[in-house]
Amino acid sequence: MIPRFKPYLGREEIGALVQYDVEAVARFEGEFAQTFEAQHAIAFPYGRSALWTFFKATGLEGVEIIMPAYTCVVVAHAIILSGNTPRFVDITLYDYNMDLDQVRMAINERTGAIVATHLFGYPLDIDKLTEIVQEAEKHYGHKIWIIQDCAHAFGARWKEQLVCNVGDIALFGLNISKTITSIFGGMLTTNDSALAEKVRKWRDTYFMQPRVSKFIRRLIYLLAVYPAFDEKLYGLVQWLQHATPLLNHLTKAYHLDEKIHFPPDCMDKMLAVEAQVGLKQLGKYLDIVRQKQENARYYSEHLGDIPDWVLPPLVAGATYSHYVVRVPNREGVSQVLLRRGTQLGQLIEYSVPHMAAYNQYDFGQDFPNSYMCSQTTINLPLYAGLNNRQRERIVSSIREEFADKCVSSAIAGRPKQ
Ligand SMILES: *Cc1c(COP(=O)(O)O)cnc(C)c1O
């Protein structure tokens, strides 16, 4: 079975597991900063820990943080757990990013920061965002921080400019489902030296060195990833996952408990072994992005005429963490393709303000686009390492099943909304 995603790991990463270097985390930070043309990079155990620490280190508390309604829920968790309030903004159906006109209207005297997410690798219009923020700062007389959430958008550019370098900080996630991985992990980058100093000091004071047992768990986890994502074994792995709790940790990136919380190791320092793997991945980063861009182009060229499917746009400067399609009957489509040996992803199958944990807050509005996407999106395997045979097989399965309108509506069954 072709898995919905797969980390791009080779022999180098296994080699990295046995190299011992106490300076690995510092080296990873240095090379990460260089790769993304930032002055400073600071490593964390998760991306969410980086965001939470930014709020703590800058003393941002009791303010509103503007963020998209359709994004990874851990961003909202970090905002709430740091004593702030998320202020959600709906997305556009064009590229799934925040609607900037709604951002302009959402800003008020309590706004402390804006999380500008570049979802699925699509660059948000950072020129317009900067202009909106500068205007608002003048009007309200206080700083509004710009946080670039680049967890999906490694290297994404808006008009030639790296989006991670505009604004105050950028966040990156580094678990095995991200563009590059350090097993787990997250990174904060900034060009503001005083801010970097503060964040680093906060982390060094309050984050703990994990025990040896965590090092061993990470080692086993990474070694298990190799066979687990093998095309020949993946069907078995999926069965084990559904029938037993053995592998929950491996293929489920997030446990979406209806509860606002962080994992227990969220205040651990990054392990040297994670940084070693991250360093190897950084070396492959350009190749990974190039392959993802090429795969996205391939799908767009071959699937543009499937009735009722809305393909994602091809955008200059996008780095395509995922290739996300809106379809009329997501479950039906997923089942049909699973039978034909391809697993589709349902990456963000929730709209954050609609989640049970967020029901207790009254946001005073609906987020119809976010809700709609939470119900209709699938993503096709786009990973680096997907070969021609696999790509062709995915495309021909889709074409055979769905290119003909009569067939597709018969399978879809349910009426369309
Ligand atoms: C993955 C991700 C993060 C960070 O997630 P962690 O699991 O905490 O590393 C942040 N924002 C988005 C949009 C993400 O997809």
Side-chain angles (χ1 to χ4, degrees):
M1 190 193 299
I2 301 173
R4 66 185 200 279
F5 76 91
K6 183 177 176 176
Y8 196 52
L9 299 166
R11 258 184 239 143
E12 311 78 56
E13 285 80 2
I14 294 195
L17 293 178
V18 293
Q19 286 164 11
Y20 184 73
D21 174 5
V22 279
E23 296 299 319
V25 174
R27 269 202 305 131
F28 184 34
E29 291 175 335
E31 287 191 28
F32 196 97
Q34 212 171 18
T35 303
F36 297 102
E37 299 169 25
Q39 294 292 315
H40 308 274
I42 304 165
F44 287 88
Y46 297 93
R48 67 196 88 171
S49 305
L51 180 57
W52 181 85
T53 303
F54 165 75
F55 292 133
K56 289 294 177 189
T58 51
L60 265 182
E61 203 180 325
V63 295
E64 277 186 10
I65 312 293
I66 291 177
M67 64 170 286
Y70 192 63
T71 183
C72 184
V73 67
V74 304
V75 173
H77 286 3
I79 290 171
I80 294 208
L81 294 173
S82 63
N84 295 296
T85 312
R87 169 111 186 185
F88 295 106
V89 166
D90 207 0
I91 55 163
T92 74
L93 292 178
Y94 168 62
D95 62 5
Y96 305 100
N97 278 327
M98 256 188 325
D99 180 337
L100 288 174
D101 292 323
Q102 292 191 38
V103 169
R104 196 195 296 274
M105 294 191 309
I107 298 178
N108 64 65
E109 67 285 348
R110 288 192 57 213
T111 305
I114 298 176
V115 180
T117 307
H118 308 274
L119 206 68
F120 308 141
Y122 291 109
L124 187 72
D125 180 345
I126 47 178
D127 296 333
K128 184 166 170 182
L129 176 71
T130 308
E131 187 195 300
I132 291 171
V133 168
Q134 283 172 352
E135 242 171 57
E137 285 180 334
K138 241 187 257 149
H139 187 261
Y140 293 110
H142 68 257
K143 179 165 177 66
I144 297 172
W145 299 83
I146 298 180
I147 300 163
Q148 307 288 3
D149 184 347
C150 295
H152 285 177
F154 285 73
R157 289 174 191 267
W158 173 260
K159 293 187 182 151
E160 313 289 310
Q161 198 172 10
L162 279 171
V163 295
C164 56
N165 267 331
V166 178
D168 298 292
I169 62 164
L171 299 171
F172 298 84
L174 293 162
N175 70 44
I176 58 164
S177 74
K178 305 293 184 187
T179 300
I180 58 171
T181 185
S182 54
I183 315 183
F184 281 83
M187 199 66 92
L188 181 154
T189 61
T190 181
N191 291 317
D192 177 339
S193 297
L195 177 64
E197 177 83 9
K198 262 191 207 165
V199 171
R200 190 180 292 283
K201 196 161 164 216
W202 218 93
R203 181 200 61 180
D204 292 346
T205 309
Y206 296 106
F207 280 54
M208 286 153 293
Q209 198 58 48
R211 294 196 217 165
V212 179
S213 59
K214 179 167 174 179
F215 163 76
I216 294 168
R217 282 203 310 276
R218 288 291 187 260
L219 219 68
I220 295 172
Y221 178 85
L222 189 72
L223 290 173
V225 164
Y226 285 80
F229 286 87
D230 183 86
E231 189 181 343
K232 294 198 181 63
L233 294 176
Y234 196 68
L236 173 69
V237 170
Q238 286 303 296
W239 178 82
L240 280 174
Q241 163 141 33
H242 288 135
T244 74
L246 290 176
L247 299 176
N248 276 357
H249 214 61
L250 196 64
T251 42
K252 265 193 201 151
Y254 299 107
H255 293 271
L256 292 172
D257 307 339
E258 302 290 333
K259 208 166 69 180
I260 298 169
H261 75 129
F262 271 6
D265 64 341
C266 66
M267 284 187 72
D268 279 357
K269 288 182 177 157
M270 181 181 271
L271 286 160
V273 67
E274 295 175 305
Q276 299 274 28
V277 170
L279 278 161
K280 297 293 178 206
Q281 289 268 294
L282 266 184
K284 302 177 176 180
Y285 146 75
L286 282 175
D287 181 30
I288 292 174
V289 166
R290 187 190 50 73
Q291 291 192 48
K292 282 172 165 267
Q293 289 170 329
E294 209 179 289
N295 289 338
R297 250 194 318 272
Y298 180 83
Y299 285 137
S300 288
E301 275 165 19
H302 290 85
L303 300 173
D305 59 341
I306 308 290
D308 303 329
W309 281 34
V310 182
L311 301 188
L314 293 178
V315 168
T319 53
Y320 306 99
S321 64
H322 304 84
Y323 190 86
V324 173
V325 184
R326 298 205 302 278
V327 296
N329 174 5
R330 173 165 69 183
E331 292 307 324
V333 170
S334 298
Q335 277 167 24
V336 166
L337 284 176
L338 201 59
R339 271 207 301 278
R340 301 198 51 152
T342 298
Q343 183 188 41
L344 301 182
Q346 292 184 8
L347 186 70
I348 307 182
E349 81 286 34
Y350 53 79
S351 161
V352 182
H354 290 90
M355 293 177 86
Y358 287 83
N359 267 344
Q360 56 180 300
Y361 304 94
D362 176 18
F363 301 110
Q365 58 175 310
D366 287 330
F367 305 92
N369 291 349
S370 173
Y371 185 73
M372 198 257 255
C373 290
S374 75
Q375 305 298 306
T376 57
T377 52
I378 51 155
N379 52 290
L380 306 186
L382 188 75
Y383 51 85
L386 190 74
N387 61 36
N388 274 335
R389 175 186 59 78
Q390 292 168 317
R391 268 190 346 192
E392 282 164 16
R393 188 168 131 205
I394 294 167
V395 161
S396 62
S397 302
I398 293 173
R399 294 204 63 81
E400 282 162 34
E401 299 283 353
F402 302 107
D404 177 56
K405 179 120 190 164
C406 305
V407 177
S408 85
S409 47
I411 288 164
R414 287 182 225 152
K416 275 181 289 169
Q417 306 95 324

